[in-house]
Amino acid sequence: METKQATAIFLALSADLRLDLFRLLVKYAPDGLVAGEIAKYLKVSNTNLSFHLKALLHAGLITVEKEGRFLRYRANIPLMLETIAYLTAECCSGRPELCRDFRAASAVSAAVLPVCDSKK
Amino acid sequence: METKQATAIFLALSADLRLDLFRLLVKYAPDGLVAGEIAKYLKVSNTNLSFHLKALLHAGLITVEKEGRFLRYRANIPLMLETIAYLTAECCSGRPELCRDFRAASAVSAAVLPVCDSKK
DNA sequence: GACACATTTCAATAATTGTTGAATTGTTCT
DNA sequence: AGAACAATTCAACAATTATTGAAATGTGTC
């Protein structure tokens, strides 16, 4: 993943509303939701929702598909996995032993932490 | 991790300069670098560097320690690991089978992708 | 075709973020 | 104490992002 794409993704995730939005779409994966449903769940105006949907689309974190007069949005989970892989690589940055040591010392359950191995 | 902290972290990583800065500090972990060294590497003015360092500090992604008349900055790798764990949890969101399926289909090497298991 | 509906686009404004140079704080060295 | 240095803070301004209401686009229904 390129730096430019990574920063676009982080910018897209940097607002409460958009993070909630993405999570909502993950929750409703793989069917997704149409814009009106999202607006109801998040209690936000259609106009403002459009704005934030566009931000997430621009980053590629969600996709959109026309469905009659509705627009159906879905989370782009593969891109999220790529993003996680990118962050994992950044945090090791050629020194996986560091990452491993910190992970071993971490309070976070090992089960949810990424594999950060030199043979990457 | 709370939503508020997560969005602060993503905001901190949403600018090229700050992402580069964090990577630089990871590269020089665990010793870190003093502000002047960072400014040289990134070719940025001291003033502007201070601004972006503060943003990363605010998010908790870096730490600072006084060292004579220098200030030494270090990457907070455990927080990055927590962030990765958070994103991993978000992308599964109670439906690990989705995450697993996408990961299986992904072009990204399995070695760098996070474990995303129901027994998390 | 006329109407209701789903959603976006546009325009205006408010709020936040990014950048720059000058002034300030605090440290070291002699 | 005084000079040199490291880094930050401050003030001003430019640029971007967020929010709102009104108008426009396109789709389905009678």
Side-chain angles (χ1 to χ4, degrees):
Chain A
M1 182 179 298
E2 308 216 342
T3 298
K4 214 68 195 165
Q5 185 180 14
T7 53
I9 288 170
F10 296 137
L11 184 61
L13 295 174
S14 70
D16 287 16
L17 180 55
R18 288 194 296 265
L19 192 52
D20 288 347
L21 207 172
F22 181 78
R23 277 193 289 210
L24 185 67
L25 290 179
V26 169
K27 187 175 166 189
Y28 284 90
D31 293 342
L33 294 171
V34 298
E37 293 173 324
I38 298 171
K40 267 183 206 159
Y41 278 119
L42 300 181
K43 294 180 177 42
V44 66
S45 73
N46 287 343
T47 297
N48 201 20
L49 178 60
S50 267
F51 176 82
H52 290 293
L53 283 169
K54 200 179 336 191
L56 284 164
L57 275 173
H58 175 255
L61 280 171
I62 62 174
T63 61
V64 64
E65 189 185 4
K66 212 170 175 182
E67 192 174 295
R69 59 179 157 170
F70 301 86
L71 287 174
R72 181 166 294 273
Y73 290 90
R74 291 184 176 86
N76 182 354
I77 293 176
L79 181 59
M80 176 53 75
L81 290 174
E82 269 186 65
T83 305
I84 292 168
Y86 176 83
L87 276 184
T88 303
E90 292 314 302
C91 100
C92 294
S93 198
R95 308 187 53 185
E97 78 286 359
L98 275 180
C99 200
R100 194 155 40 231
D101 292 348
F102 278 115
R103 193 170 66 255
S106 170
V108 179
S109 158
V112 294
L113 280 173
V115 176
C116 180
D117 204 333
S118 57
K119 60 174 181 263
K120 79 167 157 43
Chain B
M1 184 180 296
E2 308 216 342
T3 297
K4 214 69 194 165
Q5 186 181 14
T7 54
I9 288 169
F10 296 135
L11 183 62
L13 296 174
S14 70
D16 287 15
L17 180 56
R18 288 193 296 265
L19 192 53
D20 288 347
L21 206 171
F22 182 77
R23 277 193 288 210
L24 185 67
L25 290 179
V26 169
K27 187 175 166 190
Y28 284 91
D31 293 342
L33 294 171
V34 297
E37 293 173 323
I38 298 171
K40 266 183 206 157
Y41 279 119
L42 300 182
K43 294 179 177 41
V44 65
S45 72
N46 287 344
T47 298
N48 201 20
L49 178 61
S50 267
F51 176 82
H52 290 293
L53 282 169
K54 201 184 324 195
L56 284 164
L57 274 173
H58 175 255
L61 280 171
I62 62 175
T63 60
V64 63
E65 189 185 4
K66 209 170 176 182
E67 193 175 294
R69 58 177 158 173
F70 301 87
L71 287 174
R72 180 166 293 273
Y73 290 90
R74 291 185 176 86
N76 182 354
I77 293 177
L79 182 59
M80 176 53 75
L81 291 174
E82 269 186 66
T83 304
I84 293 169
Y86 176 82
L87 275 184
T88 304
E90 292 314 302
C91 100
C92 295
S93 199
R95 308 188 53 185
E97 77 286 359
L98 275 180
C99 199
R100 193 154 42 230
D101 292 348
F102 279 114
R103 193 171 66 253
S106 170
V108 180
S109 157
V112 294
L113 280 173
V115 177
C116 180
D117 204 332
S118 57
K119 59 178 185 263
K120 77 166 158 45

